[in-house]
Amino acid sequence: MEFFHVKRDIPFMSYGKLTTAISLATFVIAVFFLVAKGLNFGIEFTGGTVMELRYQKAADLSQIRQQVDGLKLGETQVQSMGSTTDVMLRLPNIKNKNSAQLSAEVLEALKQTRSDVELRKVEFIGPSVGDELFSHGLTALALVCVGIIAYLALRFEWRFAVSAVIANLHDVVIILGFFALFQWEFNLTVLAGILAVLGYSVNESVVVFDRIRENFRKPTLRGKTVPEVIDNAITSTMSRTIITHGSTEFMVLSMLIFGGAALHGFAMALTIGIVFGIYSSVLVASPLLLMFGVTRDNMIKPVKIKEEAVV
C-alpha cells in the first residue's frame, strides 16, 4: 500500500554533511545538559515511601494529587492501581521524617476531604534498592545495544551494525537530554520507553537497510552511484514511514494527552524517540554508511558456482 508516491528520488545524501553536523550539535547539547543539570531521578532510583490506599467509593485522583501537593513534600506520584477505589502514592524522602510519620501526615490530610480513605500498605524504598534498579537498567540498555549489533552484523554487515547503533544511541542521548533540560522525572516507565524506542528505531533502520541491499542487486540501478542508490531506497520507503510512524505517533500523543501522570514519562519518551528515530534512521545512519565506505562490491558477495562433471 502506497498512499504517498514520490516520483523523483529526494537527494538526502547530498545533505549528509549538514545533517551529520546538526546531529553532532544536538548530541553535544544533550550531553551538556546531562552533565550540567543531570537527570531528575524518580522514587524508584532515589528511594522513598509508597502508600497504598483504598476508598469506599471511586477516588478522584486529581483531588488527591492537589491535596498531596499542598503538603509541599516534593515530587509525588498519584496513580490508580487497577480499580477506581485503589490508589498508590509515591512520596520522596523527607529529612527528619521517617516513613511512618510521612504516611500519617498524608493520610490525615486526605481524611479532611474524604473520611472513607483507608491505608492498606506502606513500604519504604531505600537508596540501595534505587542504585540496584539503576544498575539493572544500565545493564538492560547495554544488552539491547549488544543484541542490536549482533543482529545487524549477521543480517547485513558490520558497517550497517555500527551505523545503526550510533544512530540509536543518538536517539537515547537526545531523549535523556530533553529530560535533563526540562527536569522531567526519570523513572522506570521512562526507561521502558527508551528501550521501546531502541527497538522501534532499529526496525526503521532495518527497513531502510533492506531496501538499500535490494537496490544494490537491481540491474536497473547498476549505473547509479552509492549515494543515489541510498536516496532511492529512502524515497521508496517514505510512504511506509509516513503511514506507520504517523499512526504510531498519533497513538502516543493520545497517550501523552489523555493518559494522565502515570503514563506521562513513558509517552513523552516515546513521542520524542519516534520523531528522532525517523530522523536518525534516514539522516544519521544512512550518511554513516557512506563514511564507513559501503560500496557495491562489499555489499554483493560473489557466488561460487560449482562445476559439474560432464559425463
Side-chain angles (χ1 to χ4, degrees):
M1 184 178 294
E2 189 174 8
F3 290 144
F4 307 94
H5 180 67
V6 182
K7 295 182 179 180
R8 295 184 179 180
D9 294 342
I10 302 174
F12 290 103
M13 293 303 99
S14 63
Y15 306 104
K17 293 182 179 179
L18 175 62
T19 57
T20 303
I22 294 174
S23 301
L24 182 60
T26 54
F27 183 88
V28 171
I29 293 173
V31 171
F32 170 78
F33 284 118
L34 281 171
V35 174
K37 304 186 72 172
L39 292 172
N40 179 25
F41 289 106
I43 296 172
E44 296 93 336
F45 299 113
T46 61
T49 301
V50 178
M51 298 176 58
E52 295 183 9
L53 306 174
R54 173 166 292 178
Y55 287 82
Q56 297 298 323
K57 297 181 180 180
D60 187 349
L61 296 182
S62 60
Q63 184 183 32
I64 296 172
R65 189 174 294 108
Q66 185 177 1
Q67 288 180 281
V68 176
D69 290 342
L71 298 175
K72 297 181 180 180
L73 300 175
E75 188 71 27
T76 61
Q77 297 178 15
V78 181
Q79 63 187 75
S80 176
M81 293 182 60
S83 67
T84 58
T85 58
D86 294 328
V87 179
M88 182 172 64
L89 301 181
R90 296 177 182 267
L91 309 172
N93 287 323
I94 305 295
K95 292 182 178 180
N96 303 324
K97 287 185 181 180
N98 57 33
S99 182
Q101 294 172 335
L102 191 60
S103 60
E105 182 180 348
V106 172
L107 186 62
E108 183 180 355
L110 295 176
K111 283 186 175 181
Q112 294 179 1
T113 306
R114 294 278 300 270
S115 59
D116 61 336
V117 60
E118 175 188 357
L119 180 62
R120 303 278 296 178
K121 188 178 180 181
V122 177
E123 289 183 350
F124 174 72
I125 303 176
S128 60
V129 178
D131 293 338
E132 184 179 354
L133 288 173
F134 183 73
S135 62
H136 287 175
L138 289 179
T139 302
L141 191 61
L143 289 176
V144 169
C145 292
V146 171
I148 291 171
I149 293 175
Y151 168 73
L152 292 179
L154 290 173
R155 179 165 180 176
F156 297 100
E157 201 207 13
W158 69 266
R159 296 174 179 84
F160 289 84
V162 175
S163 300
V165 169
I166 293 175
N168 291 345
L169 291 179
H170 165 271
D171 300 338
V172 171
V173 173
I174 294 298
I175 295 173
L176 294 178
F178 271 98
F179 274 82
L181 172 61
F182 297 104
Q183 286 296 289
W184 295 326
E185 184 180 2
F186 186 87
N187 50 35
L188 288 177
T189 59
V190 177
L191 179 60
I194 291 176
L195 294 177
V197 167
L198 277 174
Y200 195 86
S201 182
V202 167
N203 178 68
E204 179 63 23
S205 299
V206 167
V207 170
V208 177
F209 289 170
D210 260 329
R211 187 57 60 89
I212 293 174
R213 184 170 58 180
E214 291 175 5
N215 282 357
F216 277 123
R217 293 184 170 93
K218 286 183 178 179
T220 56
L221 296 176
R222 285 179 181 174
K224 300 286 186 180
T225 62
V226 174
E228 291 174 337
V229 170
I230 297 176
D231 289 337
N232 179 269
I234 298 173
T235 304
S236 60
T237 58
M238 281 188 62
S239 178
R240 177 258 176 202
T241 299
I242 295 173
I243 296 172
T244 303
H245 297 288
S247 58
T248 306
E249 188 74 3
F250 180 78
M251 180 274 294
V252 172
L253 286 174
S254 301
M255 192 190 310
L256 177 65
I257 297 172
F258 304 107
L263 295 175
H264 184 269
F266 178 76
M268 183 61 73
L270 284 178
T271 301
I272 300 171
I274 289 174
V275 173
F276 281 92
I278 300 171
Y279 172 83
S280 65
S281 298
V282 174
L283 299 175
V284 176
S286 298
L288 285 175
L289 292 177
L290 296 177
M291 294 177 59
F292 290 138
V294 169
T295 63
R296 192 182 302 273
D297 294 334
N298 55 40
M299 278 300 303
I300 303 177
K301 298 179 181 180
V303 180
K304 295 181 179 180
I305 302 175
K306 296 182 179 180
E307 296 182 358
E308 297 181 358
V310 179
V311 180

